[in-house]
Amino acid sequence: MITLENLSIGYTSKNNRKVVAEGINATLMEGELTCLIGPNGIGKSTLLRTLSAFQPALSGNITIDGKQLETLSDKEVSRLIGVVLTSKPDVQNITVTELVGLGRSPYTGFWGTLNENDREIVDESIAKTGISHLSERMIQTLSDGERQKVMIAKALAQQTPVIYLDEPTAFLDYPSKVDMLLLLRQLAHETKKTIFLSTHDLELALQLADRLWLLSTNTQQQSTTLEVGTPGELAATGSLTRFIEGKGIHFHPETLTISVDK
């Protein structure tokens, strides 16, 4: 569904060009939950912003369903990619149904008026995320976990084949983190969407992700590299051990678990 070819990501200013990572080659598969992991500051958010067309790639190609991302209009991108950010929606006095309805904006024209088909899609999206009982609640009255499910429902209402999420479990308690990743895994498998998210919840990603993208620093070459595989595959190559283990922290590849010295 999505192919990255010799991709370089980073930032450019008038007199400077900062490369965060380069030479990235990978494929995102439909019907899978893929988790992007790596240390703080490695470039996970930069990669997500580049894949979402929020910032341009420095070089290389991102291809979605045979089309190069940089050649697509904003409207075309909005019908291919849904994005759920970590930041809370800066809205007040709007119901859950109304907010999810904003996901239909790529299809509703200038006035944003929903027709019967749009309203059915909104109701289905709310039902798929298990928040039908919240449909008439004001967004400011929701918990962080409930609000995050609303934003996922909004992305579903957008009816894109691809959904990117930046730290969707941030600010959630542990049961809510588990619930959120289980929901995203279920949606990927049942709707055959490509769901790609960055996370620091490593142990949950090891248990629930179909595939991992691991960004790490190659100390010999002083560069950032991307390794792709199932949790079991990256455990077998030693990549997860190198990423996780440190003073008092141990990774057990046979069980994909982490322990800490007491």
Side-chain angles (χ1 to χ4, degrees):
M1 183 68 194
I2 303 171
T3 303
L4 283 57
E5 296 177 303
N6 203 28
L7 183 70
S8 293
I9 59 173
Y11 305 91
T12 56
S13 59
K14 188 174 182 180
N15 299 312
N16 191 31
R17 184 175 187 267
K18 177 177 174 54
V19 177
V20 172
E22 58 187 344
I24 298 173
N25 293 281
T27 301
L28 279 171
M29 308 297 291
E30 66 177 25
E32 289 188 351
L33 173 64
T34 302
C35 290
L36 174 64
I37 59 175
N40 284 332
I42 195 70
K44 296 189 297 296
S45 293
T46 303
L47 178 55
L48 265 175
R49 285 195 296 269
T50 305
L51 292 178
S52 306
F54 290 169
Q55 70 182 64
L58 297 181
S59 63
N61 294 313
I62 301 169
T63 305
I64 301 181
D65 202 19
K67 307 178 184 73
Q68 287 197 19
L69 181 61
E70 63 180 11
T71 67
L72 300 176
S73 67
D74 290 345
K75 186 172 185 178
E76 288 173 320
V77 171
S78 71
R79 293 188 177 192
L80 284 173
I81 300 172
V83 180
V84 179
L85 301 175
T86 305
S87 56
K88 299 176 183 178
D90 187 21
V91 292
Q92 298 283 324
N93 300 320
I94 184 173
T95 68
V96 166
T97 297
E98 289 169 337
L99 182 55
V100 174
L102 295 178
R104 298 301 300 157
S105 59
Y107 311 94
T108 55
F110 180 79
W111 298 108
T113 304
L114 303 186
N115 60 30
E116 184 177 347
N117 181 60
D118 292 320
R119 288 190 288 272
E120 287 179 0
I121 291 169
V122 168
D123 290 343
E124 288 171 3
S125 301
I126 290 173
K128 282 178 181 176
T129 47
I131 55 172
S132 295
H133 61 293
L134 302 174
S135 60
E136 297 308 313
R137 286 268 299 274
M138 290 293 178
I139 194 71
Q140 67 268 23
T141 69
L142 303 180
S143 69
D144 288 340
E146 290 169 338
R147 191 182 295 110
Q148 195 70 303
K149 285 186 178 181
V150 173
M151 300 311 294
I152 292 171
K154 176 176 173 288
L156 287 177
Q158 200 173 329
Q159 286 196 313
T160 58
V162 180
I163 299 177
Y164 297 142
L165 305 99
D166 188 13
E167 292 285 349
T169 56
F171 314 121
L172 303 184
D173 58 31
Y174 190 77
S176 298
K177 290 176 188 286
V178 175
D179 185 42
M180 183 64 62
L181 284 183
L182 283 172
L183 169 63
L184 292 169
R185 178 184 170 93
Q186 179 186 4
L187 289 172
H189 292 178
E190 292 184 355
T191 65
K192 300 303 178 185
K193 293 182 184 293
T194 301
I195 298 185
F196 181 63
L197 63 91
S198 64
T199 184
H200 286 294
D201 291 311
L202 183 56
E203 290 182 277
L204 288 180
L206 291 174
Q207 294 180 64
L208 297 176
D210 295 301
R211 205 169 301 274
L212 295 175
W213 283 23
L214 171 59
L215 276 176
S216 59
T217 301
N218 185 321
T219 53
Q220 292 181 334
Q221 300 178 4
Q222 291 297 305
S223 62
T224 298
T225 60
L226 176 68
E227 296 174 86
V228 176
T230 66
E233 288 168 348
L234 293 188
T237 63
S239 299
L240 288 174
T241 298
R242 290 189 292 272
F243 168 51
I244 296 168
E245 290 205 334
K247 185 177 181 181
I249 304 171
H250 307 283
F251 176 62
H252 308 285
E254 65 282 356
T255 57
L256 298 176
T257 56
I258 301 168
S259 63
V260 179
D261 290 343
K262 297 179 181 179

